[in-house]
Amino acid sequence: MKFNSETLTLKFRAGLSWFVRYRFILFIILLGIIYGFVISKIDTLVAVEPTQSAIEAKVSTSTNPHIDSSVVDKITQLQDNSVNVKTLFEQARQNPFQE
């Protein structure tokens, strides 16, 4: 079989007409492949657990909150002096999510 410009042109036109004919089906198949790939990537990334060194790095960078003892003493003193504040503290302890 010899390849010359006429046979190549005929083959190309036949392939192009086939592609034009089935372009919608090929597009749907391509979208399905892309969606399948994305879903499989999401599935693998969801299942990944952090390593122990990554956990330790995050824990070491976080700091514990510190409240000065003088502030605690002042709040306690104000709570003891005012009945309204004492009531608010008691309500907040009983239901901390109520406004």
Side-chain angles (χ1 to χ4, degrees):
M1 181 172 177
K2 291 191 173 188
F3 292 110
N4 57 18
S5 63
E6 288 182 19
T7 57
L8 288 177
T9 306
L10 288 174
K11 295 275 186 192
F12 179 73
R13 286 186 183 175
L16 185 62
S17 66
W18 179 87
F19 179 77
V20 169
R21 180 184 230 174
Y22 296 108
R23 67 179 173 229
F24 181 72
I25 295 171
L26 293 172
F27 179 72
I28 297 297
I29 291 171
L30 180 66
L31 280 180
I33 291 170
I34 291 171
Y35 283 143
F37 176 75
V38 168
I39 288 172
S40 69
K41 274 297 198 188
I42 289 171
D43 185 46
T44 57
L45 291 175
V46 165
V48 173
E49 293 291 328
T51 62
Q52 188 64 30
S53 61
I55 293 172
E56 289 171 359
K58 286 288 184 182
V59 169
S60 67
T61 58
S62 65
T63 59
N64 292 333
H66 177 69
I67 299 175
D68 193 18
S69 62
S70 64
V71 174
V72 173
D73 293 337
K74 186 69 172 176
I75 290 174
T76 307
Q77 180 185 13
L78 289 173
Q79 180 184 0
D80 292 338
N81 290 341
S82 175
V83 175
N84 291 334
V85 174
K86 192 171 187 178
T87 306
L88 287 174
F89 275 104
E90 290 301 322
Q91 287 175 355
R93 285 190 182 121
Q94 291 172 1
N95 191 357
F97 300 109
Q98 181 181 5
E99 291 188 23

